Amino acid sequence: MGNIDMKALFSLTYGMYIVSTDLEGKLNGQIANTVMQITSEPICVATCLNKANLTTEMIAKSGRFSVAVLELEVPMTFIGQFGFKSGRDIDKFENVKYSLAEAGTPLIEEWSVAAFDAKVTKTVEMPSHMLFIGEVQESVCFKEAPLLTYSDYHKIKKGKSPKTAPTFGFNALK
């Protein structure tokens, strides 16, 4: 493999999201920066999550996920609830404003600009992560507000990537 300058990867742009699901009535979600639209007809999105995360296990079993697009003003306490705690230990949706998509996935309204629900159409297993591709079944816009980018998360909010994030290795570069 050739020379890799990890800083070159900072030129890629990312948003900040909460990827969630419902499995047999249990809701869970996590912070993610790897969500993107991949087609427009049909509308498909992809997300890539660490295999060790409960959300990943639940999406693999339920075949559905939802995405909340976070606004710039979201407080770190809210990010921390979904990003630095495990759904194995707490109810991440306690005291969180959300509605349910027709399929039952949570559409987080609090600190979100928009949300959508997707049905998994393909799963690709990576060494440490699972790539889920889903066809969007439902979407909603809550408000117009500046979006939280991954860059803003680090520069403005001074956030770090947890060990299970695809970008964990970048923490040392800052």
Side-chain angles (χ1 to χ4, degrees), residues 6 9-10 14 33-34 50 53 83-84 128-129 150 153-154 159-174:
M6 295 292 280
L9 297 173
F10 282 127
Y14 302 91
N33 70 328
T34 49
N50 192 289
N53 292 351
F84 302 116
S128 61
H129 286 65
Y150 190 61
Y153 170 72
H154 288 284
K160 297 282 186 186
S161 299
K163 284 185 180 180
T164 55
T167 51
F168 173 71
F170 297 160
N171 286 340
L173 298 175
K174 296 178 190 118

Side-chain angles (χ1 to χ4, degrees), residues 71 73 109-114 140-147:
E71 65 177 290
E73 297 303 317
E109 299 172 24
E110 194 171 0
W111 303 109
S112 299
V113 174
V140 60
C141 289
F142 299 119
K143 64 176 109 173
E144 287 191 28
L147 305 177

Side-chain angles (χ1 to χ4, degrees), residues 104-124:
T105 60
L107 302 173
I108 298 173
E109 299 172 24
E110 194 171 0
W111 303 109
S112 299
V113 174
F116 50 88
D117 163 75
K119 179 181 177 184
V120 175
T121 58
K122 185 170 180 107
T123 302
V124 179

Side-chain angles (χ1 to χ4, degrees), residues 9-103:
L9 297 173
F10 282 127
S11 64
L12 298 174
T13 57
Y14 302 91
M16 290 293 287
Y17 313 95
I18 298 175
V19 177
S20 303
T21 195
D22 162 70
L23 180 63
E24 300 168 357
K26 177 178 172 57
L27 302 179
N28 197 60
Q30 68 171 73
I31 295 293
N33 70 328
T34 49
V35 175
M36 62 184 266
Q37 180 180 345
I38 56 173
T39 63
S40 60
E41 188 57 44
I43 300 170
C44 290
V45 295
T47 188
C48 194
L49 308 174
N50 192 289
K51 290 179 183 179
N53 292 351
L54 179 60
T55 304
T56 306
E57 294 174 24
M58 291 175 67
I59 292 171
K61 290 177 184 172
S62 72
R64 298 200 82 84
F65 63 91
S66 60
V67 175
V69 181
L70 296 176
E71 65 177 290
L72 180 62
E73 297 303 317
V74 61
M76 280 300 288
T77 53
F78 191 77
I79 291 171
Q81 182 165 339
F82 286 93
F84 302 116
K85 298 177 183 178
S86 173
R88 290 178 177 90
D89 302 324
I90 67 161
D91 175 1
K92 292 189 178 187
F93 283 83
E94 185 176 13
N95 300 318
V96 172
K97 185 179 177 188
Y98 66 92
S99 57
L100 294 177
E102 285 183 29

